[in-house]
Amino acid sequence: MKHRAGKAAGMFVLSAAMTMLLAATASVSAADQIAIGVGCTTGSSLRLRAEASTSSSVVTQLDKSVAVSILGKQDGWYYVGFDGKSGYVSAEYVIEDQDGIFTAPGRINGDGVNVRASADPDAQAVATVNKDAAVTVDGFADGWYAVTCQYGTIGYIRSDFVDLVSDEASASGAADIATQYLGTRYVYGGSSPSGFDCSGFTMYVFKQMGVSLPHSATSQWQSGKGQKLYSASELKSGDLVFFNDPSRSNGKACSHAGIYMGGGQFIHASSANSGGVIVSTLTSGYYNTYFVGGMRV
């Protein structure tokens, strides 16, 4: 398996009875099932099918060289999960990982998920992450993923709480979380769903991703938490964006912050006309004039 998705591999063997049980549950979300291994796709536009048959309906298509969780095996087919979906792929187009060491992007699919010190449900919880938080999956063993959270904590999460995803899906997690709070009122100093100011909003969203940010636009810009981007053309969904209107900044580096959504739009908590959490256009007007840069955490 290529090291972006892993080095080819399989981990352990299920009993025949368990294999048949997993194979029979294609209609159940991958989020409800513990993986028995990890594989890497070898074909482009690979069809993920609802049943183990070339005549079965197509659930979605998979790109080449992406990591998939292996949930079961049946007559030359792998039953796999990817990006919250599950289905069957011909074993001809999947290489199964053999050593449990690989790197792949992942996304948390539930709230209050514990990151544990070892691959054991009774092990100490070293952190808690929420739905849509991005993690890097560094390996697999006995139904658990070894993970690195975005703020650097290393630990283990049971595989049914992590969806293996594409790089693009992982990166956009902050924007996905942010849109859940559209319409929330603006409150100066606010940093909760009862009311946000601009940096309180970005701080709250990234906290759900496992990233700790300070509570001011300037402090976030100067925090050193990520890679700074100085051109709007470099931005990707999920990047922080910063602005500085000299009339509002009191001499500080930034006066406003938001989260880029792609397509020239960003989401932010605006004090203008009691707007609250809204979506605005980055590339024209006020925000284009005062754009300072972005930051990829």
Side-chain angles (χ1 to χ4, degrees):
M1 192 186 231
K2 129 185 208 192
H3 248 244
R4 174 70 227 137
K7 291 189 235 163
M11 283 58 195
F12 57 93
V13 180
L14 278 185
S15 68
M18 182 59 76
T19 300
M20 291 176 64
L21 176 63
L22 286 174
T25 56
S27 62
V28 179
S29 167
D32 297 325
Q33 298 170 63
I34 297 175
I36 63 169
V38 174
C40 178
T41 59
T42 63
S44 299
S45 300
L46 189 59
R47 292 170 181 172
L48 182 70
R49 296 187 179 274
E51 299 177 2
S53 168
T54 55
S55 61
S56 177
S57 60
V58 176
V59 176
T60 190
Q61 289 190 336
L62 305 177
D63 292 331
K64 186 176 181 179
S65 299
V66 296
V68 295
S69 58
I70 297 175
L71 306 173
K73 304 174 186 179
Q74 179 182 333
D75 300 329
W77 293 78
Y78 283 115
Y79 177 45
V80 305
F82 180 79
D83 197 15
K85 300 179 177 66
S86 59
Y88 291 88
V89 175
S90 171
E92 180 181 356
Y93 300 109
V94 176
I95 299 174
E96 194 174 352
D97 185 67
Q98 298 299 322
D99 59 10
I101 302 172
F102 59 92
T103 301
R107 184 174 58 205
I108 303 301
N109 59 39
D111 285 323
V113 174
N114 287 320
V115 182
R116 298 196 178 274
S118 62
D120 184 326
D122 296 322
Q124 177 189 1
V126 295
T128 300
V129 287
N130 290 316
K131 188 174 181 179
D132 293 325
V135 296
T136 298
V137 178
D138 304 307
F140 174 88
D142 299 334
W144 292 73
Y145 288 130
V147 302
T148 301
C149 301
Q150 286 195 325
Y151 56 101
T153 295
I154 296 172
Y156 296 83
I157 299 177
R158 208 175 68 190
S159 60
D160 52 334
F161 292 117
V162 181
D163 293 330
L164 299 180
V165 297
S166 65
D167 290 307
E168 291 77 12
S170 177
S172 65
D176 293 338
I177 294 172
T179 57
Q180 299 174 28
Y181 301 100
L182 275 170
T184 301
R185 66 188 183 126
Y186 181 91
V187 174
Y188 180 76
S191 58
S192 76
S194 62
F196 295 109
D197 64 13
C198 70
S199 60
F201 177 57
T202 53
M203 181 176 72
Y204 181 85
V205 169
F206 275 83
K207 183 178 180 180
Q208 309 314 301
M209 302 280 292
V211 179
S212 177
L213 293 173
H215 193 170
S216 85
T218 293
S219 295
Q220 290 178 8
W221 173 245
Q222 296 176 340
S223 67
K225 292 284 185 178
Q227 174 192 359
K228 287 187 176 180
L229 309 166
Y230 294 95
S231 170
S233 64
E234 298 179 88
L235 294 172
K236 293 182 179 180
S237 179
D239 290 342
L240 285 160
V241 287
F242 297 91
F243 309 87
N244 185 34
D245 176 353
S247 68
R248 298 170 61 88
S249 66
N250 295 318
K252 297 180 180 179
C254 300
S255 58
H256 194 58
I259 298 168
Y260 189 63
M261 301 177 66
Q265 294 187 314
F266 73 104
I267 185 169
H268 60 126
S270 172
S271 61
N273 301 315
S274 302
V277 178
I278 60 173
V279 174
S280 298
T281 300
L282 175 72
T283 54
S284 63
Y286 179 93
Y287 296 110
N288 180 61
T289 300
Y290 295 117
F291 178 69
V292 172
M295 189 163 67
R296 185 163 301 148
V297 178

